[in-house]
Amino acid sequence: MGCVGSKQPADDGAQPQSGTGSPPVAQGQVKSASVGKAELTTTTDVAQVDDGDLDDDDEPQKQAALGKKGLGILRKNFCRTCAAQQQSAKNDASSQNDARSIKRVLVVIDVQDGYDSEFIASLPADVGGSLGFIQDEHAVKASYELGSRALITAYEPGSEPKISYNKGWNKGLPGEAMDTVAARAVTEIQSGEYELIVFTTDYLERSGAEELGVFPLDKTPWSDPTKPVALVGYDKYLTIAAGCPGVDISRRIREKLPDVTSANGKEGTANGTPALYLRKQVDDAFDEDREASERTGGAAWLDDVDVDDDGLPRADAQTLLQQLSARGYGPAEGTQLSFVGVVTNRCVASSLLHAATLGYRTRCLMGGCRAANAAAHEKGLAMIREKGGDGVEMVE
């Protein structure tokens, strides 16, 4: 997923295209895509990998080759390109509002069943994305070129190569970590201090849609467009695609707060407090990038946030900034956003820091955030401190 794991890139001779090696790009740019084509062309920097994580999907060469279609969650780590001094300046201006007029909003990032290792392990082994299913060997029906998606070989029955769908990160976060984050979210919600609760969840395209996951069939470098790969539906190796069992808010929260669920649409409540539910396919909940393609009729629609029930872009989608502002919680209204969630070094950091650059007061509730491991969590907190500066309040 976009939030759990990565590992140091393998050296395949290609030049990494990481965020710190390229100049920052403007937010809200348009990317183009065509149905059935090989990849989305994105204007956004490829995220730089983090030490100590698990997932080969964060190899820079692989990211550059696949884009969102092959990875499932687009790895646009906003915190890699934002400028700390700009955040501090904007937040300094916001902080001049009288404390009594602050509008407090809690943002719960991706605390959902599909990222909980205990939930994933509890699913029957014949359910796509379950621990038993992803660890099993699966026959590959055909191989395709990475770049063109042209068919290379259609395998005869009995001759198919077999692959595992285990990517490491798709086994989920430790139950202890999810329990800690969920418990803090429940405590904050029950405190009554917030006027609005925002829940974000990763929500990929339904099986059979345009986008498919990519699995390597040999050690050809990811920079080679003829690399043979298998194309696999998200529902086979993840539980966070449309129609899959891991898309809802974590059961650890729902058991404590029965009115919490993302199953009833964008509007709801959390312990009686108004709640907003945002579906996304990108690390940064405040993402603004748009897609102009055949499936959008050539119009520029939001591509990675506020998707429809099938995980597809829609004409009337709104950014999280637009949705908050429409409810009276824009930066100019003295809104303070407090963040908890997973994972600290990806979705939490990217979303929080983007919010800060937009002028929001921001708070990182450190005890309510977790990552794949302690080192990744601490690295995420360090990035938030470095980029956020005085503009971000760090709260235990």
Side-chain angles (χ1 to χ4, degrees), residues 86-98 331 334 359 361 391:
Q86 292 177 353
Q87 294 167 19
S88 296
K90 289 190 175 184
N91 281 277
D92 287 345
S94 175
S95 67
Q96 295 174 8
N97 294 318
D98 189 274
R361 288 182 167 191

Side-chain angles (χ1 to χ4, degrees), residues 10 12 38 56-57 59 61-63 65-66 142-153 155 167 214-231:
D12 64 6
D56 70 340
D57 280 353
E59 295 177 7
Q61 297 91 347
K62 185 174 183 180
Q63 288 193 45
L66 298 187
S143 62
Y144 300 87
E145 288 188 357
L146 171 64
S148 67
R149 299 299 196 266
L151 177 68
I152 299 174
T153 303
Y155 297 104
K167 289 176 170 285
V214 172
F215 288 76
L217 294 176
D218 66 13
K219 296 194 178 294
T220 302
W222 286 103
S223 55
D224 186 342
T226 66
K227 177 181 177 69
V229 298
L231 303 179

Side-chain angles (χ1 to χ4, degrees), residues 249-267:
I249 305 304
S250 171
R251 58 184 176 173
R252 299 173 190 270
I253 294 177
R254 290 185 285 117
E255 288 171 356
K256 301 292 185 181
L257 306 174
D259 58 339
V260 170
T261 180
S262 62
N264 297 329
K266 292 170 61 172
E267 303 284 350

Side-chain angles (χ1 to χ4, degrees), residues 304-340:
D304 300 316
V305 295
D306 199 17
V307 295
D308 70 11
D309 289 345
D310 292 318
L312 300 173
R314 56 193 186 89
D316 59 347
Q318 292 185 314
T319 66
L320 182 53
L321 174 62
Q322 290 173 321
Q323 294 184 51
L324 288 172
S325 296
R327 291 164 174 78
Y329 298 102
E333 282 73 41
T335 305
Q336 179 190 76
L337 304 183
S338 298
F339 287 79
V340 297

Side-chain angles (χ1 to χ4, degrees), residues 3 48 51 75 103 176 193 236 283 285 291 350-351 368:
C3 291
Q48 186 171 347
D51 299 330
R75 309 306 179 85
K103 295 184 174 182
E176 181 181 358
E193 294 181 3
K236 301 300 183 185
D283 284 1
E291 169 188 325
S350 293
S351 302

Side-chain angles (χ1 to χ4, degrees), residues 54 70 162-163 175 261 291 342 363 376:
L54 304 174
K162 292 187 175 182
I163 60 173
T261 180
E291 169 188 325
V342 298
R363 300 166 77 229

